[in-house]
Amino acid sequence: MNVLRRRPEWVLIPLVFVVVVGAWEALTRLLEVPVYVVPPPSLVLHVLIAGLGSGSYLGHAVYTLGEALGGFGVAAIGGIGMGMLIASSPLLERTLYPYLVAIQTTPKIAIAPLFIMWFGFGITSKVLVAALVAFFPILVNVIAGLKSTDAQRIELMRSVRATRWQTFRMVRLPSALPMIFAGLNVGIVFSLLGAIVGEFVGSRNGLGNQVMQMNANLDAAGVFSVLVVLSAIGITLHLLMQAAQRRILFWHESTQKQQ
Amino acid sequence: MTGGATIRAHEAPSAGQAAPAVQIEGLEKSYASHRGEAIRALGPLSFSVPDGGFLTIVGPSGCGKSTVLRLLSGLIERTAGTMRVRGQEVDATQGDIGFVFQSPTLLPWKTAMENVLLPADVLRLDRAASRSRARMLLDLVGLGDFAERYPRELSGGMQQRVSIARALIHDPSILLMDEPFGALDAMTRETMSVELLRIWQRSRKTVLFVTHSIPEAVFLGTHILVLTPRPGRIADFIEPGLPADRTLDVMSTPAFGEIVKRIRHHFQVKGGME
């Protein structure tokens, strides 16, 4: 009982789930809501188990995950590389800044149809949509992180006559890691979003493609069951990022408060 | 109590001495205001510190006492004047300095040992030799058992000790300390003063130590440079001549009190310390 007094949320979190799902189940039955509008959770679970059992969800999930991770990889390498380049040259930053703002404020999802047209219905177009969406939050955070190094740390390096490269490698880059991770955390969620939207626009495989097909067949329970799979993938990716962050940023406040 | 701003601290060097560790001549620093006119922040300033001496620089806030250290280390550029290190004219101390800042400025992802080794890494000194020297320095500052701890596991006083060890790792001849105990509580501060005296006596470095605490300046310095309010010029230059093996008890002696009074007088004349 002592644990419950210290961590009451361990009871409250499952309780919220039970109450919400129970109310949902009761309301759909009491009000006789048609299953093609809002299906009861029990039906969603039934469809989910069937989908997982037949193996069809697994294949589509792997396909979508591949697109998202591929896009995230491209965005992370590109965002960190370009961020370092821009942060190292004030002139380059001032020159590119208006363009970055313009691109940042444009809904990049709108470019997805073009990518399908250019790169076809295969995996390449989806990887590129995911990369495009994930790239900018990573880039912006890398630049902000590299520019916000504590001035005293820079002076410390100057007092021992460190070269620019030494200061970058030993102080500026590690100092920027918390911000870079903040960007990567947003980026990995965005890359999944990009992959799904890419599939909506045009694809033959993947969970987004499944959602479109089920929607066309008025299979609301199917759509909800795919949403459950997508949210499981999203949570897993988020937890993996957090685990990596906790290992690499063991020294930073952000990893100590979350216990 | 004569002299005031016109005292030139190095005017009467005793004959036959070797070149002073640091010799400053007509040093000046001005900034451009946003209207474009030059505002003098410091100087002109002339003084020298003998090899192995401990110069404390005391003055009201904003008088530019930290600027002296920053000019000497090359963190900022001087407007006029010359600086000599061991008789050689220099633009900056060419890495032959250790700098201790008011905040410890340790890198949180490195252990105490790795933090001490930072200047050695920058200067590409021999790894094994530096490690054994770092171990010796951590022992010297009383942190031999804390080499593998991270900064967040250390108290403020311990962090500042690590930063002192770091400033000594590349064996510089001059140690520049910019209010290093300013952020510590009064008790820790007194302990650290005694510790620093011991470390200085063992390492035989030339120390330039900036502080706004008059008792700290008198307790630590073999030479005390008293600056006027902005733009900082020399108000007084004192050699207290306290016994080398002094402890905190020296603070209650009449001789100590006299010097403190003499320094305080300069600030009262100019309208208060802070």
Side-chain angles (χ1 to χ4, degrees), chain B residues 70-266:
Chain B
R70 296 164 60 78
L71 288 168
L72 205 52
S73 63
L75 288 178
I76 51 176
E77 274 179 39
R78 65 189 189 278
T79 313
T82 57
M83 306 189 291
R84 284 193 180 82
V85 174
R86 297 170 185 284
Q88 285 283 344
E89 195 168 333
V90 293
D91 281 331
T93 42
Q94 314 296 351
D96 188 27
I97 54 137
F99 210 120
V100 179
F101 300 93
Q102 178 169 358
S103 89
T105 320
L106 301 181
L107 302 179
W109 54 87
K110 287 177 179 283
T111 61
M113 171 62 95
E114 291 164 348
N115 267 291
V116 172
L117 284 169
L118 182 77
D121 291 343
V122 170
L123 300 167
R124 298 199 178 84
L125 304 181
D126 178 69
R127 191 81 193 160
S130 298
R131 278 197 86 83
S132 71
R133 185 172 162 77
R135 209 158 274 292
M136 184 272 282
L137 287 168
L138 282 169
D139 281 336
L140 179 69
V141 298
L143 290 178
D145 295 335
F146 295 86
E148 300 312 316
R149 300 293 185 87
Y150 286 91
R152 65 181 146 85
E153 303 173 294
L154 304 174
S155 71
M158 290 159 102
Q159 292 188 16
Q160 197 56 285
R161 287 161 196 255
V162 175
S163 91
I164 293 172
R166 178 181 62 196
L168 293 169
I169 184 72
H170 50 300
D171 204 17
S173 63
I174 300 165
L175 195 56
L176 303 178
M177 308 183 83
D178 189 4
E179 302 197 37
F181 307 148
L184 303 178
D185 63 88
M187 299 276 280
T188 314
R189 195 170 178 148
E190 288 195 340
T191 327
M192 291 292 284
S193 295
V194 178
E195 288 275 293
L196 178 62
L197 211 53
R198 186 178 58 81
I199 292 167
W200 166 67
Q201 280 162 353
R202 291 246 221 117
S203 63
R204 308 302 329 165
K205 302 292 177 202
T206 304
V207 180
L208 275 74
F209 184 106
V210 163
T211 178
H212 58 249
S213 157
I214 298 173
E216 195 170 78
V218 178
F219 178 74
L220 287 170
T222 58
H223 304 71
I224 306 167
L225 189 67
V226 185
L227 294 185
T228 64
R230 187 184 183 102
R233 295 180 194 206
I234 297 176
D236 204 350
F237 187 81
I238 305 167
E239 295 184 38
L242 297 172
D245 58 345
R246 58 191 175 277
T247 62
L248 286 172
D249 289 338
V250 80
M251 289 188 166
S252 45
T253 62
F256 190 93
E258 274 306 309
I259 302 164
V260 169
K261 212 168 104 187
R262 174 170 162 186
I263 296 171
R264 191 161 286 146
H265 178 79
H266 286 289

Side-chain angles (χ1 to χ4, degrees), chain B residues 7-10 24 27 42 45-49 54-60 63-65 68-69 208-211 217-218 221-228 232-240 263 266-267:
Chain B
I7 290 181
R8 288 164 65 92
H10 65 103
I24 300 292
L27 188 66
L42 179 80
L45 211 59
S46 301
F47 65 90
S48 63
V49 192
F54 196 128
L55 178 82
T56 52
I57 304 174
V58 63
C63 74
K65 51 192 189 295
V68 178
L69 301 191
L208 275 74
F209 184 106
V210 163
T211 178
V218 178
T222 58
H223 304 71
I224 306 167
L225 189 67
V226 185
L227 294 185
T228 64
R233 295 180 194 206
I234 297 176
D236 204 350
F237 187 81
I238 305 167
E239 295 184 38
I263 296 171
H266 286 289
F267 300 132

